[in-house]
Amino acid sequence: MPAPPKNATRAAEKQRKKEKREQAAREAREGDAALKLAKEKVQQANEATDLLESFPVFRKYERNGINVVMEGCAASDVPKELMQKIFNLAKANMESLYNEAKFGPFDSEGWDDRLKMRELTEKEARYVIVRSGSSGDGTEGEGEGEFLGFMQYRWEVEDEEEIAYLYELQLLPEVTGKGLGKFLVSLLELAARKFGMVAVFCTVLKSNTRAVKFYKDKMKFSVDETSPDVTEDALSDEVPEYTYEILSKRFS
């Protein structure tokens, strides 16, 4: 069979290159539009600093022998004294785990007081504060009960996806194992759906077996494709085993 004329070959090659450029341009436009939409959703979510305004039924938890109340706020609205209590609880629960795993905020290799406080107080941080509820006379108001724990979360864009990221869930021993953690994470899931997020993410230390079991078994999170253990780079023998994994619960 005779070869096609050179002019025809060149024309076909030019057409292929044109189609490739057009496809790349379409994908870029779609990517820009998706990123813009994700940022808009995150901005809208950040404007609602109190999750409980949309879900008032979650303001109180009275089950399994405990009576607690919740209040929501931005990090900038947390009084200094309360932020110190938040820091102290996080340190009591996590310092040894951080040091064992050589894991910490801003890529520190272990617990660092200064960096942890910086992380807790960043303007993007949002909180649900847990306090003791009324003893029965109904006189205790918001911000008056004993501090019992907190959930810190953020609305973020990761890989052009709008997500809720659960940074911390820390409770005092007297309210642990009472279903309160599940209650709080369920609140975040509902809020994430309301604001159009695609998933809730969290990072867990592998050595924190109780947390791993809680998120995977009770909350039905799974290891996300972005977790370092499942990326292509992690398949290399030269990459050390990671001490943490990224979990997610996707809505679609």
Side-chain angles (χ1 to χ4, degrees):
M1 180 180 296
K6 287 185 178 180
N7 287 343
T9 302
R10 289 172 181 167
E13 181 62 24
K14 287 177 67 176
Q15 182 62 26
R16 283 195 295 271
K17 289 181 178 179
K18 179 182 177 182
E19 291 173 356
K20 190 173 182 180
R21 288 195 301 270
E22 290 175 347
Q23 181 181 355
R26 281 196 303 272
E27 290 175 352
R29 287 194 298 271
E30 290 170 358
D32 290 343
L35 180 59
K36 181 181 178 182
L37 180 59
K39 288 181 176 179
E40 289 174 352
K41 289 181 178 180
V42 166
Q43 181 179 355
Q44 181 184 13
N46 271 320
E47 290 172 357
T49 57
D50 184 357
L51 284 190
L52 299 160
E53 288 184 353
S54 298
F55 303 96
V57 70
F58 281 84
R59 285 196 182 275
K60 186 173 182 179
Y61 182 87
E62 192 172 2
R63 304 175 196 170
N64 302 319
I66 62 172
N67 177 8
V68 302
V69 293
M70 267 66 69
E71 59 190 76
C73 60
S76 57
D77 297 322
V78 178
K80 186 176 181 180
E81 182 181 351
L82 177 56
M83 185 58 75
Q84 188 61 51
K85 291 180 180 180
I86 288 172
F87 172 84
N88 291 344
L89 178 57
K91 182 171 182 173
N93 286 353
M94 300 302 297
E95 182 176 21
S96 61
L97 289 167
Y98 274 35
N99 290 337
E100 178 185 348
K102 297 188 182 302
F103 176 90
F106 305 104
D107 298 322
S108 58
E109 293 189 357
W111 183 271
D112 184 295
D113 283 354
R114 181 182 61 82
L115 292 178
K116 189 62 181 180
M117 182 61 83
R118 174 183 161 191
E119 179 188 86
L120 291 170
T121 56
E122 284 186 311
K123 66 178 182 179
E124 297 85 3
R126 298 289 182 268
Y127 284 91
V128 174
I129 307 298
V130 182
R131 297 183 182 276
S132 59
S134 169
S135 58
D137 59 9
T139 58
E140 283 187 349
E142 187 174 282
E144 295 180 4
E146 178 189 355
F147 172 74
L148 296 173
F150 70 94
M151 175 172 70
Q152 188 215 146
Y153 64 95
R154 304 188 189 192
W155 308 110
E156 298 182 346
V157 176
E158 293 278 351
D159 296 328
E160 298 186 1
E161 290 186 322
E162 57 277 17
I163 65 167
Y165 212 110
L166 175 55
Y167 269 61
E168 300 266 358
L169 178 56
Q170 305 293 349
L171 301 171
L172 286 171
E174 53 262 43
V175 292
T176 299
K178 306 287 187 179
L180 181 56
K182 185 176 181 180
F183 186 78
L184 289 167
V185 177
S186 297
L187 166 62
L188 183 58
E189 289 180 13
L190 285 172
R193 290 177 184 272
K194 172 183 170 61
F195 289 119
M197 304 293 130
V198 301
V200 177
F201 278 67
C202 68
T203 300
V204 294
L205 298 177
K206 294 178 181 178
S207 58
N208 192 354
T209 54
R210 185 170 184 172
V212 172
K213 183 176 178 63
F214 169 75
Y215 288 110
K216 289 184 177 180
D217 295 349
K218 285 192 176 181
M219 302 312 303
K220 307 304 179 184
F221 280 56
S222 57
V223 178
D224 193 77
E225 62 185 10
T226 60
S227 190
D229 280 344
V230 295
T231 59
E232 290 185 7
D233 289 343
L235 298 178
S236 170
D237 292 337
E238 298 178 2
V239 177
E241 181 180 358
Y242 289 89
T243 58
Y244 68 93
E245 54 189 0
I246 298 172
L247 306 182
S248 68
K249 187 171 186 178
R250 294 184 174 271
F251 304 137
S252 60

mmCIF file of all heavy atoms in Angstrom, residues 84-128:
data_model
loop_
_atom_site.group_PDB
_atom_site.id
_atom_site.type_symbol
_atom_site.label_atom_id
_atom_site.label_comp_id
_atom_site.label_asym_id
_atom_site.label_seq_id
_atom_site.Cartn_x
_atom_site.Cartn_y
_atom_site.Cartn_z
ATOM 1 N N GLN A 84 -6.124 27.986 76.719
ATOM 2 C CA GLN A 84 -5.106 27.290 77.501
ATOM 3 C C GLN A 84 -5.622 25.928 77.954
ATOM 4 O O GLN A 84 -4.868 24.941 77.971
ATOM 5 C CB GLN A 84 -4.698 28.130 78.706
ATOM 6 C CG GLN A 84 -3.498 27.571 79.468
ATOM 7 C CD GLN A 84 -2.238 27.499 78.623
ATOM 8 O OE1 GLN A 84 -1.849 28.478 77.989
ATOM 9 N NE2 GLN A 84 -1.584 26.333 78.608
ATOM 10 N N LYS A 85 -6.896 25.842 78.319
ATOM 11 C CA LYS A 85 -7.480 24.553 78.700
ATOM 12 C C LYS A 85 -7.516 23.602 77.503
ATOM 13 O O LYS A 85 -7.269 22.393 77.651
ATOM 14 C CB LYS A 85 -8.888 24.759 79.264
ATOM 15 C CG LYS A 85 -8.921 25.463 80.603
ATOM 16 C CD LYS A 85 -10.357 25.636 81.099
ATOM 17 C CE LYS A 85 -10.399 26.336 82.445
ATOM 18 N NZ LYS A 85 -11.789 26.505 82.939
ATOM 19 N N ILE A 86 -7.834 24.137 76.345
ATOM 20 C CA ILE A 86 -7.826 23.329 75.117
ATOM 21 C C ILE A 86 -6.423 22.780 74.872
ATOM 22 O O ILE A 86 -6.241 21.590 74.587
ATOM 23 C CB ILE A 86 -8.311 24.191 73.931
ATOM 24 C CG1 ILE A 86 -9.819 24.436 74.042
ATOM 25 C CG2 ILE A 86 -7.970 23.527 72.599
ATOM 26 C CD1 ILE A 86 -10.354 25.432 73.036
ATOM 27 N N PHE A 87 -5.443 23.656 74.968
ATOM 28 C CA PHE A 87 -4.050 23.248 74.778
ATOM 29 C C PHE A 87 -3.652 22.187 75.798
ATOM 30 O O PHE A 87 -3.032 21.167 75.447
ATOM 31 C CB PHE A 87 -3.130 24.459 74.896
ATOM 32 C CG PHE A 87 -1.665 24.118 74.905
ATOM 33 C CD1 PHE A 87 -0.969 23.938 73.732
ATOM 34 C CD2 PHE A 87 -0.990 23.949 76.109
ATOM 35 C CE1 PHE A 87 0.383 23.603 73.744
ATOM 36 C CE2 PHE A 87 0.353 23.623 76.141
ATOM 37 C CZ PHE A 87 1.041 23.449 74.946
ATOM 38 N N ASN A 88 -3.980 22.405 77.059
ATOM 39 C CA ASN A 88 -3.588 21.466 78.118
ATOM 40 C C ASN A 88 -4.188 20.079 77.888
ATOM 41 O O ASN A 88 -3.525 19.062 78.119
ATOM 42 C CB ASN A 88 -4.021 21.996 79.484
ATOM 43 C CG ASN A 88 -3.235 23.229 79.908
ATOM 44 O OD1 ASN A 88 -2.185 23.532 79.343
ATOM 45 N ND2 ASN A 88 -3.758 23.944 80.891
ATOM 46 N N LEU A 89 -5.440 20.029 77.451
ATOM 47 C CA LEU A 89 -6.080 18.735 77.200
ATOM 48 C C LEU A 89 -5.437 18.033 76.008
ATOM 49 O O LEU A 89 -5.170 16.821 76.062
ATOM 50 C CB LEU A 89 -7.576 18.925 76.958
ATOM 51 C CG LEU A 89 -8.372 17.660 76.638
ATOM 52 C CD1 LEU A 89 -8.215 16.613 77.740
ATOM 53 C CD2 LEU A 89 -9.845 17.990 76.417
ATOM 54 N N ALA A 90 -5.180 18.790 74.940
ATOM 55 C CA ALA A 90 -4.516 18.194 73.778
ATOM 56 C C ALA A 90 -3.145 17.647 74.164
ATOM 57 O O ALA A 90 -2.754 16.551 73.742
ATOM 58 C CB ALA A 90 -4.389 19.229 72.662
ATOM 59 N N LYS A 91 -2.420 18.388 74.973
ATOM 60 C CA LYS A 91 -1.093 17.947 75.392
ATOM 61 C C LYS A 91 -1.179 16.700 76.263
ATOM 62 O O LYS A 91 -0.405 15.744 76.077
ATOM 63 C CB LYS A 91 -0.384 19.075 76.152
ATOM 64 C CG LYS A 91 1.037 18.707 76.578
ATOM 65 C CD LYS A 91 1.786 19.920 77.120
ATOM 66 C CE LYS A 91 3.220 19.533 77.479
ATOM 67 N NZ LYS A 91 4.038 20.707 77.850
ATOM 68 N N ALA A 92 -2.110 16.691 77.213
ATOM 69 C CA ALA A 92 -2.251 15.526 78.095
ATOM 70 C C ALA A 92 -2.591 14.267 77.316
ATOM 71 O O ALA A 92 -2.091 13.180 77.612
ATOM 72 C CB ALA A 92 -3.333 15.809 79.136
ATOM 73 N N ASN A 93 -3.426 14.403 76.284
ATOM 74 C CA ASN A 93 -3.870 13.238 75.525
ATOM 75 C C ASN A 93 -2.893 12.812 74.428
ATOM 76 O O ASN A 93 -2.841 11.634 74.067
ATOM 77 C CB ASN A 93 -5.227 13.511 74.882
ATOM 78 C CG ASN A 93 -6.374 13.502 75.873
ATOM 79 O OD1 ASN A 93 -6.187 13.169 77.050
ATOM 80 N ND2 ASN A 93 -7.558 13.868 75.423
ATOM 81 N N MET A 94 -2.126 13.759 73.885
ATOM 82 C CA MET A 94 -1.406 13.467 72.648
ATOM 83 C C MET A 94 0.113 13.603 72.697
ATOM 84 O O MET A 94 0.795 13.109 71.796
ATOM 85 C CB MET A 94 -1.928 14.383 71.527
ATOM 86 C CG MET A 94 -3.408 14.231 71.234
ATOM 87 S SD MET A 94 -3.896 12.541 70.774
ATOM 88 C CE MET A 94 -2.955 12.313 69.264
ATOM 89 N N GLU A 95 0.670 14.253 73.699
ATOM 90 C CA GLU A 95 2.112 14.521 73.680
ATOM 91 C C GLU A 95 2.935 13.250 73.529
ATOM 92 O O GLU A 95 3.843 13.175 72.684
ATOM 93 C CB GLU A 95 2.540 15.268 74.941
ATOM 94 C CG GLU A 95 4.029 15.618 74.935
ATOM 95 C CD GLU A 95 4.443 16.440 76.134
ATOM 96 O OE1 GLU A 95 3.719 16.423 77.158
ATOM 97 O OE2 GLU A 95 5.490 17.110 76.069
ATOM 98 N N SER A 96 2.664 12.231 74.324
ATOM 99 C CA SER A 96 3.463 11.004 74.258
ATOM 100 C C SER A 96 3.280 10.303 72.917
ATOM 101 O O SER A 96 4.240 9.738 72.362
ATOM 102 C CB SER A 96 3.096 10.067 75.408
ATOM 103 O OG SER A 96 1.734 9.680 75.332
ATOM 104 N N LEU A 97 2.072 10.335 72.364
ATOM 105 C CA LEU A 97 1.820 9.720 71.058
ATOM 106 C C LEU A 97 2.564 10.466 69.954
ATOM 107 O O LEU A 97 3.139 9.845 69.049
ATOM 108 C CB LEU A 97 0.317 9.708 70.767
ATOM 109 C CG LEU A 97 -0.526 8.737 71.589
ATOM 110 C CD1 LEU A 97 -2.007 9.051 71.446
ATOM 111 C CD2 LEU A 97 -0.257 7.291 71.181
ATOM 112 N N TYR A 98 2.561 11.782 70.015
ATOM 113 C CA TYR A 98 3.306 12.585 69.040
ATOM 114 C C TYR A 98 4.793 12.243 69.089
ATOM 115 O O TYR A 98 5.438 12.051 68.054
ATOM 116 C CB TYR A 98 3.129 14.071 69.335
ATOM 117 C CG TYR A 98 1.915 14.733 68.723
ATOM 118 C CD1 TYR A 98 0.713 14.055 68.570
ATOM 119 C CD2 TYR A 98 1.959 16.059 68.315
ATOM 120 C CE1 TYR A 98 -0.397 14.673 68.027
ATOM 121 C CE2 TYR A 98 0.854 16.694 67.775
ATOM 122 C CZ TYR A 98 -0.322 15.993 67.637
ATOM 123 O OH TYR A 98 -1.410 16.623 67.093
ATOM 124 N N ASN A 99 5.333 12.201 70.297
ATOM 125 C CA ASN A 99 6.771 11.962 70.442
ATOM 126 C C ASN A 99 7.157 10.565 69.983
ATOM 127 O O ASN A 99 8.187 10.376 69.329
ATOM 128 C CB ASN A 99 7.190 12.178 71.895
ATOM 129 C CG ASN A 99 7.135 13.638 72.302
ATOM 130 O OD1 ASN A 99 7.209 14.536 71.455
ATOM 131 N ND2 ASN A 99 6.988 13.899 73.590
ATOM 132 N N GLU A 100 6.318 9.588 70.311
ATOM 133 C CA GLU A 100 6.596 8.209 69.892
ATOM 134 C C GLU A 100 6.582 8.082 68.379
ATOM 135 O O GLU A 100 7.407 7.382 67.782
ATOM 136 C CB GLU A 100 5.547 7.280 70.506
ATOM 137 C CG GLU A 100 5.703 5.819 70.111
ATOM 138 C CD GLU A 100 4.567 4.957 70.636
ATOM 139 O OE1 GLU A 100 3.791 5.434 71.495
ATOM 140 O OE2 GLU A 100 4.439 3.805 70.178
ATOM 141 N N ALA A 101 5.647 8.785 67.751
ATOM 142 C CA ALA A 101 5.502 8.688 66.289
ATOM 143 C C ALA A 101 6.381 9.681 65.540
ATOM 144 O O ALA A 101 6.407 9.659 64.304
ATOM 145 C CB ALA A 101 4.043 8.916 65.922
ATOM 146 N N LYS A 102 7.080 10.569 66.284
ATOM 147 C CA LYS A 102 7.865 11.638 65.654
ATOM 148 C C LYS A 102 6.987 12.438 64.698
ATOM 149 O O LYS A 102 7.330 12.723 63.548
ATOM 150 C CB LYS A 102 9.089 11.079 64.930
ATOM 151 C CG LYS A 102 10.073 10.392 65.860
ATOM 152 C CD LYS A 102 11.354 10.027 65.148
ATOM 153 C CE LYS A 102 12.323 9.289 66.074
ATOM 154 N NZ LYS A 102 12.669 10.079 67.262
ATOM 155 N N PHE A 103 5.824 12.789 65.205
ATOM 156 C CA PHE A 103 4.797 13.483 64.433
ATOM 157 C C PHE A 103 4.417 14.751 65.181
ATOM 158 O O PHE A 103 4.361 14.770 66.411
ATOM 159 C CB PHE A 103 3.566 12.578 64.300
ATOM 160 C CG PHE A 103 2.387 13.207 63.609
ATOM 161 C CD1 PHE A 103 2.242 13.097 62.236
ATOM 162 C CD2 PHE A 103 1.415 13.889 64.330
ATOM 163 C CE1 PHE A 103 1.145 13.676 61.594
ATOM 164 C CE2 PHE A 103 0.322 14.469 63.700
ATOM 165 C CZ PHE A 103 0.191 14.363 62.323
ATOM 166 N N GLY A 104 4.142 15.825 64.447
ATOM 167 C CA GLY A 104 3.750 17.047 65.122
ATOM 168 C C GLY A 104 3.285 18.102 64.144
ATOM 169 O O GLY A 104 3.377 17.934 62.923
ATOM 170 N N PRO A 105 2.780 19.222 64.665
ATOM 171 C CA PRO A 105 2.295 20.296 63.797
ATOM 172 C C PRO A 105 3.412 20.932 62.997
ATOM 173 O O PRO A 105 4.552 21.012 63.458
ATOM 174 C CB PRO A 105 1.678 21.288 64.792
ATOM 175 C CG PRO A 105 2.381 21.020 66.083
ATOM 176 C CD PRO A 105 2.663 19.543 66.089
ATOM 177 N N PHE A 106 3.082 21.355 61.780
ATOM 178 C CA PHE A 106 4.038 22.031 60.900
ATOM 179 C C PHE A 106 5.309 21.193 60.705
ATOM 180 O O PHE A 106 6.427 21.700 60.719
ATOM 181 C CB PHE A 106 4.374 23.425 61.447
ATOM 182 C CG PHE A 106 3.152 24.279 61.680
ATOM 183 C CD1 PHE A 106 2.671 24.479 62.971
ATOM 184 C CD2 PHE A 106 2.477 24.847 60.620
ATOM 185 C CE1 PHE A 106 1.545 25.254 63.192
ATOM 186 C CE2 PHE A 106 1.337 25.625 60.830
ATOM 187 C CZ PHE A 106 0.878 25.828 62.115
ATOM 188 N N ASP A 107 5.105 19.883 60.557
ATOM 189 C CA ASP A 107 6.192 18.936 60.258
ATOM 190 C C ASP A 107 7.229 18.814 61.368
ATOM 191 O O ASP A 107 8.366 18.378 61.125
ATOM 192 C CB ASP A 107 6.897 19.310 58.943
ATOM 193 C CG ASP A 107 5.963 19.261 57.753
ATOM 194 O OD1 ASP A 107 5.112 18.350 57.729
ATOM 195 O OD2 ASP A 107 6.064 20.110 56.855
ATOM 196 N N SER A 108 6.871 19.188 62.571
ATOM 197 C CA SER A 108 7.796 18.977 63.687
ATOM 198 C C SER A 108 7.856 17.491 64.014
ATOM 199 O O SER A 108 6.893 16.759 63.814
ATOM 200 C CB SER A 108 7.338 19.762 64.924
ATOM 201 O OG SER A 108 6.031 19.385 65.307
ATOM 202 N N GLU A 109 8.991 17.051 64.507
ATOM 203 C CA GLU A 109 9.168 15.625 64.798
ATOM 204 C C GLU A 109 8.875 15.357 66.273
ATOM 205 O O GLU A 109 9.765 15.056 67.064
ATOM 206 C CB GLU A 109 10.576 15.178 64.412
ATOM 207 C CG GLU A 109 10.819 15.220 62.913
ATOM 208 C CD GLU A 109 12.131 14.564 62.529
ATOM 209 O OE1 GLU A 109 12.867 14.124 63.427
ATOM 210 O OE2 GLU A 109 12.414 14.499 61.323
ATOM 211 N N GLY A 110 7.622 15.492 66.621
ATOM 212 C CA GLY A 110 7.218 15.300 67.998
ATOM 213 C C GLY A 110 6.466 16.517 68.507
ATOM 214 O O GLY A 110 6.246 17.498 67.786
ATOM 215 N N TRP A 111 6.034 16.439 69.752
ATOM 216 C CA TRP A 111 5.258 17.525 70.343
ATOM 217 C C TRP A 111 6.105 18.788 70.504
ATOM 218 O O TRP A 111 7.252 18.726 70.937
ATOM 219 C CB TRP A 111 4.721 17.097 71.706
ATOM 220 C CG TRP A 111 3.851 18.133 72.331
ATOM 221 C CD1 TRP A 111 4.233 19.165 73.138
ATOM 222 C CD2 TRP A 111 2.434 18.264 72.174
ATOM 223 N NE1 TRP A 111 3.154 19.920 73.501
ATOM 224 C CE2 TRP A 111 2.029 19.397 72.927
ATOM 225 C CE3 TRP A 111 1.463 17.519 71.490
ATOM 226 C CZ2 TRP A 111 0.696 19.801 72.999
ATOM 227 C CZ3 TRP A 111 0.146 17.931 71.568
ATOM 228 C CH2 TRP A 111 -0.227 19.047 72.305
ATOM 229 N N ASP A 112 5.532 19.922 70.171
ATOM 230 C CA ASP A 112 6.191 21.214 70.331
ATOM 231 C C ASP A 112 5.140 22.187 70.856
ATOM 232 O O ASP A 112 4.165 22.481 70.157
ATOM 233 C CB ASP A 112 6.758 21.688 68.987
ATOM 234 C CG ASP A 112 7.536 22.983 69.101
ATOM 235 O OD1 ASP A 112 6.911 24.015 69.426
ATOM 236 O OD2 ASP A 112 8.757 22.976 68.850
ATOM 237 N N ASP A 113 5.320 22.675 72.080
ATOM 238 C CA ASP A 113 4.317 23.547 72.703
ATOM 239 C C ASP A 113 3.983 24.757 71.838
ATOM 240 O O ASP A 113 2.806 25.084 71.625
ATOM 241 C CB ASP A 113 4.817 24.030 74.069
ATOM 242 C CG ASP A 113 4.710 22.966 75.152
ATOM 243 O OD1 ASP A 113 4.150 21.884 74.877
ATOM 244 O OD2 ASP A 113 5.177 23.226 76.278
ATOM 245 N N ARG A 114 5.014 25.415 71.374
ATOM 246 C CA ARG A 114 4.802 26.662 70.622
ATOM 247 C C ARG A 114 4.054 26.396 69.317
ATOM 248 O O ARG A 114 3.096 27.102 68.977
ATOM 249 C CB ARG A 114 6.144 27.335 70.336
ATOM 250 C CG ARG A 114 6.032 28.662 69.585
ATOM 251 C CD ARG A 114 7.405 29.238 69.303
ATOM 252 N NE ARG A 114 8.217 28.353 68.480
ATOM 253 C CZ ARG A 114 8.133 28.290 67.144
ATOM 254 N NH1 ARG A 114 7.280 29.069 66.493
ATOM 255 N NH2 ARG A 114 8.908 27.475 66.459
ATOM 256 N N LEU A 115 4.477 25.384 68.591
ATOM 257 C CA LEU A 115 3.847 25.094 67.311
ATOM 258 C C LEU A 115 2.424 24.568 67.481
ATOM 259 O O LEU A 115 1.538 24.856 66.670
ATOM 260 C CB LEU A 115 4.692 24.087 66.525
ATOM 261 C CG LEU A 115 6.046 24.594 66.032
ATOM 262 C CD1 LEU A 115 6.798 23.495 65.303
ATOM 263 C CD2 LEU A 115 5.878 25.821 65.135
ATOM 264 N N LYS A 116 2.204 23.808 68.549
ATOM 265 C CA LYS A 116 0.849 23.295 68.778
ATOM 266 C C LYS A 116 -0.106 24.441 69.107
ATOM 267 O O LYS A 116 -1.232 24.484 68.597
ATOM 268 C CB LYS A 116 0.845 22.261 69.905
ATOM 269 C CG LYS A 116 -0.505 21.544 70.030
ATOM 270 C CD LYS A 116 -0.837 20.771 68.760
ATOM 271 C CE LYS A 116 -2.183 20.085 68.849
ATOM 272 N NZ LYS A 116 -2.508 19.340 67.606
ATOM 273 N N MET A 117 0.329 25.361 69.935
ATOM 274 C CA MET A 117 -0.520 26.509 70.248
ATOM 275 C C MET A 117 -0.778 27.330 68.989
ATOM 276 O O MET A 117 -1.896 27.832 68.779
ATOM 277 C CB MET A 117 0.119 27.366 71.333
ATOM 278 C CG MET A 117 -0.729 28.565 71.742
ATOM 279 S SD MET A 117 -2.350 28.110 72.420
ATOM 280 C CE MET A 117 -1.890 27.766 74.142
ATOM 281 N N ARG A 118 0.222 27.457 68.157
ATOM 282 C CA ARG A 118 0.037 28.175 66.890
ATOM 283 C C ARG A 118 -1.028 27.498 66.040
ATOM 284 O O ARG A 118 -1.907 28.165 65.467
ATOM 285 C CB ARG A 118 1.370 28.235 66.139
ATOM 286 C CG ARG A 118 1.287 28.820 64.735
ATOM 287 C CD ARG A 118 2.649 28.762 64.068
ATOM 288 N NE ARG A 118 2.539 28.874 62.625
ATOM 289 C CZ ARG A 118 3.547 28.640 61.775
ATOM 290 N NH1 ARG A 118 4.736 28.308 62.249
ATOM 291 N NH2 ARG A 118 3.371 28.747 60.476
ATOM 292 N N GLU A 119 -0.995 26.182 65.968
ATOM 293 C CA GLU A 119 -1.981 25.435 65.187
ATOM 294 C C GLU A 119 -3.389 25.613 65.756
ATOM 295 O O GLU A 119 -4.351 25.845 65.022
ATOM 296 C CB GLU A 119 -1.625 23.946 65.161
ATOM 297 C CG GLU A 119 -2.614 23.076 64.390
ATOM 298 C CD GLU A 119 -2.313 21.603 64.565
ATOM 299 O OE1 GLU A 119 -2.804 21.021 65.552
ATOM 300 O OE2 GLU A 119 -1.599 21.042 63.723
ATOM 301 N N LEU A 120 -3.505 25.530 67.070
ATOM 302 C CA LEU A 120 -4.812 25.632 67.718
ATOM 303 C C LEU A 120 -5.445 27.009 67.544
ATOM 304 O O LEU A 120 -6.679 27.136 67.555
ATOM 305 C CB LEU A 120 -4.682 25.315 69.211
ATOM 306 C CG LEU A 120 -4.351 23.871 69.584
ATOM 307 C CD1 LEU A 120 -4.007 23.776 71.066
ATOM 308 C CD2 LEU A 120 -5.508 22.930 69.241
ATOM 309 N N THR A 121 -4.622 28.029 67.390
ATOM 310 C CA THR A 121 -5.131 29.403 67.350
ATOM 311 C C THR A 121 -5.179 29.997 65.946
ATOM 312 O O THR A 121 -5.506 31.182 65.791
ATOM 313 C CB THR A 121 -4.284 30.315 68.256
ATOM 314 O OG1 THR A 121 -2.901 30.221 67.859
ATOM 315 C CG2 THR A 121 -4.410 29.911 69.718
ATOM 316 N N GLU A 122 -4.864 29.244 64.932
ATOM 317 C CA GLU A 122 -4.919 29.767 63.570
ATOM 318 C C GLU A 122 -6.336 30.238 63.239
ATOM 319 O O GLU A 122 -7.324 29.647 63.690
ATOM 320 C CB GLU A 122 -4.460 28.715 62.570
ATOM 321 C CG GLU A 122 -2.953 28.526 62.558
ATOM 322 C CD GLU A 122 -2.509 27.581 61.465
ATOM 323 O OE1 GLU A 122 -3.083 26.480 61.345
ATOM 324 O OE2 GLU A 122 -1.564 27.935 60.733
ATOM 325 N N LYS A 123 -6.432 31.275 62.433
ATOM 326 C CA LYS A 123 -7.728 31.900 62.173
ATOM 327 C C LYS A 123 -8.704 30.947 61.471
ATOM 328 O O LYS A 123 -9.930 31.125 61.587
ATOM 329 C CB LYS A 123 -7.542 33.168 61.336
ATOM 330 C CG LYS A 123 -7.013 32.916 59.925
ATOM 331 C CD LYS A 123 -6.905 34.216 59.147
ATOM 332 C CE LYS A 123 -6.428 33.964 57.716
ATOM 333 N NZ LYS A 123 -6.348 35.223 56.932
ATOM 334 N N GLU A 124 -8.198 29.950 60.767
ATOM 335 C CA GLU A 124 -9.090 29.027 60.063
ATOM 336 C C GLU A 124 -9.743 28.000 60.993
ATOM 337 O O GLU A 124 -10.709 27.339 60.620
ATOM 338 C CB GLU A 124 -8.314 28.263 58.974
ATOM 339 C CG GLU A 124 -7.743 29.129 57.874
ATOM 340 C CD GLU A 124 -6.387 29.712 58.226
ATOM 341 O OE1 GLU A 124 -5.858 29.397 59.308
ATOM 342 O OE2 GLU A 124 -5.849 30.488 57.403
ATOM 343 N N ALA A 125 -9.199 27.859 62.200
ATOM 344 C CA ALA A 125 -9.690 26.831 63.120
ATOM 345 C C ALA A 125 -11.090 27.177 63.627
ATOM 346 O O ALA A 125 -11.394 28.311 63.962
ATOM 347 C CB ALA A 125 -8.738 26.675 64.296
ATOM 348 N N ARG A 126 -11.940 26.153 63.678
ATOM 349 C CA ARG A 126 -13.289 26.269 64.203
ATOM 350 C C ARG A 126 -13.446 25.252 65.331
ATOM 351 O O ARG A 126 -12.845 24.164 65.285
ATOM 352 C CB ARG A 126 -14.333 26.008 63.118
ATOM 353 C CG ARG A 126 -14.271 27.002 61.951
ATOM 354 C CD ARG A 126 -14.753 28.372 62.382
ATOM 355 N NE ARG A 126 -14.755 29.349 61.302
ATOM 356 C CZ ARG A 126 -13.762 30.156 61.009
ATOM 357 N NH1 ARG A 126 -12.629 30.078 61.703
ATOM 358 N NH2 ARG A 126 -13.849 31.056 60.040
ATOM 359 N N TYR A 127 -14.260 25.600 66.316
ATOM 360 C CA TYR A 127 -14.371 24.750 67.496
ATOM 361 C C TYR A 127 -15.815 24.438 67.863
ATOM 362 O O TYR A 127 -16.723 25.250 67.636
ATOM 363 C CB TYR A 127 -13.719 25.442 68.707
ATOM 364 C CG TYR A 127 -12.217 25.396 68.684
ATOM 365 C CD1 TYR A 127 -11.484 26.415 68.084
ATOM 366 C CD2 TYR A 127 -11.526 24.320 69.246
ATOM 367 C CE1 TYR A 127 -10.097 26.373 68.046
ATOM 368 C CE2 TYR A 127 -10.139 24.270 69.205
ATOM 369 C CZ TYR A 127 -9.438 25.294 68.614
ATOM 370 O OH TYR A 127 -8.063 25.248 68.570
ATOM 371 N N VAL A 128 -15.993 23.257 68.428
ATOM 372 C CA VAL A 128 -17.175 22.937 69.225
ATOM 373 C C VAL A 128 -16.639 22.631 70.624
ATOM 374 O O VAL A 128 -15.838 21.711 70.795
ATOM 375 C CB VAL A 128 -17.953 21.739 68.673
ATOM 376 C CG1 VAL A 128 -19.098 21.368 69.622
ATOM 377 C CG2 VAL A 128 -18.512 22.061 67.283
#
